[in-house]
């Protein structure tokens, strides 16, 4: 079934997520390192594909969804004309271990989406997505790989723990000879200092760049020309699946081949994860499929003004309109808040939502008062359905599909400050955030350095890579406002237990289905 809502004049369909449990799964045990016995089983690394340009093999890539392959930009870049090559010249072959295998599944490419900051001079931000013309049918020899999540993001830590990853490819082998057979090598993570000492050219160019690239090395074997774009895979024994941490970007060549025990530079996908999801897996990017998760701040240097943080207007003692609660715009017609903000009360009656200003009662600016047509509640949360769409200039705030780590902060108005009240915010350090008594708890305990009373339902937001922002939780407190906290404040986790309900309220059912990795199925 599909979910539908109106977004800036465009109808967006939310398909009911169908979990594909074989994501990142491998079958078989054959396969040895590059320079040794070749990989013999196409089910061993079924996400690895071969990229051809005008019939000539150019590099590798990883299948990450039914329609997208992740690879290095330089594999599909025309350096003479300084632009991407034509998608029509590119084909992708999947389900093979030999380049000439006639049983290969062949896919044409309809579009190339390169990272905007790619630098062809030094190959910084060497990452792009190939969109296939037709959806891939998954099976034992063709299936996608998981993308690396936020855990163990620091490569120096992985190097100190002596972590290694598997790299496969059809690149040049010992002696600089070409090969028709897929080979693999196990490579060890290397910290930046040792990498730069071993390869002065990397140090001169500022590589590896923190979070965006990393080095790996093997004393007896290596990767070489033709392995570019091929992924480094790590196996998670708990989940029994492989994860893509990065892919081959550049290395040093000598004569006709490549030397072992010389570090190789990999693009680190951890930094680019949200950019990848936004294009290739939008239902992993955010719960409701918004096309952009804007970063907000309270001045121009910090980002866009958080106009999607709203305040609820109540009729008080039958004649006075007051603001008593926060709300968060999650679509152009839906506001999420805590359930206590919509409870029936003899003193006040919820009338409307005030949207479009970081001030309360700033009469010098035009503020939109949006009427409410219905209210949906579910335990600690409530969704207000507005009579009409809000202005196109106001960006809704994204909801996550999985718990992630990022830079956290709380935005809030206070009850007792003079009018006009300005929206405030406070940063939350990771050690000031605690999940409740168990992993299944709906409540987050947050140490809030505050000595004043906040309006109810204050939003807890976090940002990733300074480019994407999400709502993690809303404060749970009485309708009279959140009292000063001596130790911690309680926040309701909007994802845990509520994600499916939120998606259902915001949208309507349809029939199309899309295969997603389990972590994105809410």
């Amino acid at each position: 079934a599909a979910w539908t809502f109106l977004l800036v004049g465009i109808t967006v369909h939310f398909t009911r997520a169908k979990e594909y449990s074989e994501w990142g799964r491998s079958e078989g045990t054959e396969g040895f390192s590059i320079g040794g016995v070749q990989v013999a089983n196409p089910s061993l690394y079924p996400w690895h594909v071969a990229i051809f340009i005008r019939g000539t093999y150019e590099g590798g890539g990883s299948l990450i969804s039914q329609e997208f392959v992740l690879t290095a930009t330089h594999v599909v870049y025309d350096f003479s004309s300084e632009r991407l090559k034509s998608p029509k010249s590119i084909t992708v072959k999947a389900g093979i271990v030999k380049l000439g295998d006639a049983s290969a599944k062949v896919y044409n490419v309809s579009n190339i989406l390169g990272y905007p900051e790619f630098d062809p001079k030094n190959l910084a931000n060497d990452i792009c997505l190939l969109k296939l013309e037709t959806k891939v049918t998954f099976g034992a020899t063709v299936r996608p790989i998981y993308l690396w999540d936020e855990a163990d993001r620091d490569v120096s830590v992985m190097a100190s723990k002596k972590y290694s990853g598997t790299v496969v490819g059809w690149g040049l082998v010992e002696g600089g000879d070409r090969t028709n057979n897929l080979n693999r090598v196990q490579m060890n993570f290397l910290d930046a200092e040792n990498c730069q000492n071993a390869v002065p050219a990397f140090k001169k160019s500022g590589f590896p760049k923190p979070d965006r690239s990393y080095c790996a090395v093997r004393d007896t074997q290596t990767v070489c020309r033709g392995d570019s774009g091929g992924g480094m895979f790590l196996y998670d024994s708990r989940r029994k699946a492989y994860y893509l941490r990065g892919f081959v970007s550049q290395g040093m060549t000598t004569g006709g081949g490549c030397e072992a025990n010389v570090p190789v530079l990999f693009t680190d996908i951890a930094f680019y994860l949200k950019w990848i999801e936004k294009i290739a897996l939008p239902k992993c990017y955010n719960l409701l499929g918004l096309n952009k998760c804007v970063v907000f701040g309270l001045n121009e240097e910090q980002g866009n003004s958080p106009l999607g943080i709203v305040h609820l207007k109540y009729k008080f003692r039958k004649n006075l309109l007051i603001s008593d609660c926060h709300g968060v715009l999650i679509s152009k017609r839906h506001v999420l808040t805590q359930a206590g903000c919509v409870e029936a009360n003899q003193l006040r009656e919820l009338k409307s939502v005030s949207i479009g200003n970081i001030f309360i009662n700033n009469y010098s600016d035009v503020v939109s008062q949006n009427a409410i047509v219905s209210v949906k509640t579910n335990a600690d949360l409530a969704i207000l359905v507005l009579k009409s769409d809000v202005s196109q200039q106001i960006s809704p705030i994204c909801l996550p599909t999985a718990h992630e780590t990022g830079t956290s902060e709380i935005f809030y108005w206070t009850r007792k400050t003079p009018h006009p009240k300005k929206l405030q915010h406070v940063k939350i350090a990771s050690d000031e955030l605690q999940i409740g008594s168990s992993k299944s708890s709906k409540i987050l305990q947050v140490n809030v350095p505050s000595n004043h009373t906040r309006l109810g339902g204050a939003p807890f937001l976090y940002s990733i890579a300074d480019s994407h922002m999400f709502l993690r939780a809303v404060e749970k407190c009485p309708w009279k406002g959140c009292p000063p906290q001596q130790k911690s404040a309680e926040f309701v986790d909007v994802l845990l237990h509520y994600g499916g309900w939120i998606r259902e309220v915001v949208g309507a059912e349809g029939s199309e289905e899309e295969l997603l990795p389990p972590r994105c199925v809410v």
Side-chain angles (χ1 to χ4, degrees):
W3 314 103
T4 307
F5 82 102
L6 194 65
L7 174 63
V8 197
I10 301 174
T11 302
V12 179
H13 295 278
F14 299 113
T15 59
R16 174 175 292 172
K18 183 178 180 181
E19 178 179 317
Y20 181 66
S21 60
E22 301 304 308
W23 219 281
R25 297 293 175 89
S26 172
E27 299 180 12
T29 57
E30 298 120 308
F32 297 87
S33 58
I34 289 177
V37 179
Q38 296 84 22
V39 176
N41 186 349
S43 299
L44 193 60
Y45 306 111
W47 45 83
H48 187 73
V49 302
I51 298 172
F52 289 77
I53 298 179
R54 295 185 176 90
T56 300
Y57 171 74
E58 292 292 340
S62 298
L63 186 66
I64 61 168
S65 74
Q66 287 181 290
E67 294 183 277
F68 284 91
V69 167
L70 186 66
T71 187
T73 300
H74 80 263
V75 172
V76 294
Y77 192 82
D78 187 335
F79 288 89
S80 61
S81 63
E82 298 184 344
R83 62 184 180 183
L84 293 168
K85 295 182 178 180
S86 168
K88 293 182 179 180
S89 68
I90 304 172
T91 54
V92 170
K93 292 186 178 182
I96 58 173
V97 292
K98 293 184 181 295
L99 288 179
D101 193 334
S103 66
K105 281 77 173 176
V106 182
Y107 300 91
N108 294 323
V109 173
S110 64
N111 198 6
I112 305 172
L113 300 107
Y115 193 73
E117 298 173 23
F118 171 67
D119 187 342
K121 294 180 181 178
N122 62 11
L123 302 189
N125 300 302
D126 190 14
I127 181 171
C128 78
L129 288 159
L130 307 182
K131 189 176 190 301
L132 306 179
E133 281 189 354
T134 56
K135 285 188 176 182
V136 173
T137 299
F138 295 153
T141 62
V142 181
R143 63 175 56 143
I145 186 171
Y146 281 112
L147 297 172
W148 193 261
D149 56 25
E150 293 297 308
D152 286 324
R153 182 167 179 168
D154 190 338
V155 171
S156 64
V157 173
M158 301 182 75
S160 67
K161 293 180 179 179
K162 301 187 183 305
Y163 280 15
S164 64
T166 301
V167 185
V168 299
W170 288 280
L172 301 182
V173 293
E174 188 175 356
D177 297 326
R178 293 189 175 275
T179 180
N180 189 48
N181 303 297
L182 184 65
N183 295 283
R184 83 171 186 180
V185 61
Q186 200 74 13
M187 301 193 72
N188 304 314
F189 285 91
L190 185 67
D191 64 83
E193 182 178 359
N194 283 315
C195 177
Q196 291 180 344
N197 289 339
V199 185
F202 286 167
K203 184 175 184 178
K204 184 178 180 181
S205 299
F207 290 116
K209 296 185 181 297
D211 291 336
R212 300 190 184 213
S213 54
Y214 65 88
C215 294
V217 69
R218 180 68 182 267
D219 56 355
T220 58
Q221 294 138 356
T222 189
V223 296
C224 199
R225 186 180 294 110
D227 290 318
S228 291
M232 175 184 273
F233 324 128
L234 279 77
Y235 186 71
D236 185 327
S237 58
R238 182 175 60 85
R239 299 175 182 174
K240 295 181 172 58
Y242 280 92
Y243 283 73
L244 179 67
R245 176 60 201 244
F247 52 81
V248 179
S249 176
Q250 55 182 299
M252 306 305 295
T253 60
T254 55
C258 303
E259 288 188 2
N261 206 29
V262 176
V264 175
L265 192 71
F266 288 75
T267 296
D268 189 346
I269 72 164
F271 175 84
Y272 304 96
L273 178 63
K274 303 315 291 185
W275 175 80
I276 297 168
E277 288 182 341
K278 179 180 176 180
I279 297 169
L281 292 161
K283 293 183 185 65
C284 295
Y285 179 52
N286 69 83
L287 185 71
L288 299 178
L290 301 180
N291 58 13
K292 189 174 184 181
C293 296
V294 178
V295 173
F296 300 103
L298 294 180
N299 58 53
E300 292 182 0
E301 288 75 26
Q302 293 174 310
N304 297 271
S305 294
L307 302 182
I309 297 175
V310 307
H311 52 99
L312 280 53
K313 304 290 286 189
Y314 300 84
K315 194 172 185 179
F316 182 68
R317 298 187 185 279
K318 298 184 179 181
N319 56 9
L320 179 66
L321 280 180
I322 63 170
S323 298
D324 258 358
C325 271
H326 299 84
V328 178
L329 188 72
I330 59 172
S331 86
K332 287 294 181 177
R333 199 176 287 196
H334 296 85
V335 170
L336 183 69
T337 187
Q338 67 146 341
C341 292
V342 301
E343 290 177 355
N345 188 284
Q346 293 181 345
L347 296 178
R348 65 174 193 175
E349 178 186 0
L350 180 60
K351 299 297 292 183
S352 62
V353 174
S354 183
I355 301 176
N357 203 308
I358 61 174
F359 289 91
I360 292 178
N361 293 339
N362 182 9
Y363 301 108
S364 62
D365 290 337
V366 176
V367 179
S368 173
Q369 302 292 336
N370 293 69
I372 301 167
V373 295
S374 65
V375 177
K376 311 289 185 182
T377 58
N378 184 346
D380 291 323
L381 295 182
I383 294 177
L384 312 179
V385 184
L386 307 181
K387 185 177 181 180
S388 59
D389 289 0
V390 301
S391 166
Q392 294 186 14
Q393 282 69 47
I394 300 175
S395 299
I397 295 175
C398 290
L399 302 172
T401 57
H403 288 148
E404 303 164 312
T405 58
T407 303
S408 303
E409 52 193 317
I410 294 170
F411 289 82
Y412 60 93
W413 285 287
T414 60
R415 284 179 61 87
K416 297 182 179 180
T417 53
H419 291 283
K421 302 174 187 285
K422 184 179 180 180
L423 189 66
Q424 302 180 47
H425 74 129
V426 60
K427 298 281 187 180
I428 302 298
S430 57
D431 58 358
E432 294 174 328
L433 168 64
Q434 295 179 344
I435 308 299
S437 58
S438 69
K439 290 184 179 180
S440 61
S441 175
K442 302 176 185 178
I443 301 299
L444 307 178
Q445 301 289 341
V446 183
N447 292 332
V448 183
S450 173
N451 58 1
H452 46 242
T453 303
R454 295 175 297 281
L455 299 185
F460 181 112
L461 306 180
Y462 68 93
S463 59
I464 295 178
D466 297 324
S467 302
H468 315 270
M469 182 166 269
F470 301 86
L471 173 68
R472 174 67 192 270
V474 295
E475 190 168 7
K476 180 183 180 181
C477 51
W479 68 270
K480 293 183 179 180
C482 304
Q485 302 294 330
Q486 298 301 317
K487 293 184 178 180
S488 65
E490 290 190 340
F491 283 73
V492 181
D493 189 327
V494 302
L495 177 62
L496 196 61
H497 302 293
Y498 296 106
W501 170 72
I502 293 171
R503 183 178 276 171
E504 183 176 359
V505 171
V506 169
E509 293 193 9
S511 58
E512 185 183 356
E513 291 186 336
E514 179 182 356
L515 296 179
L516 293 176
R519 82 173 187 87
C520 302
V521 178
V522 178

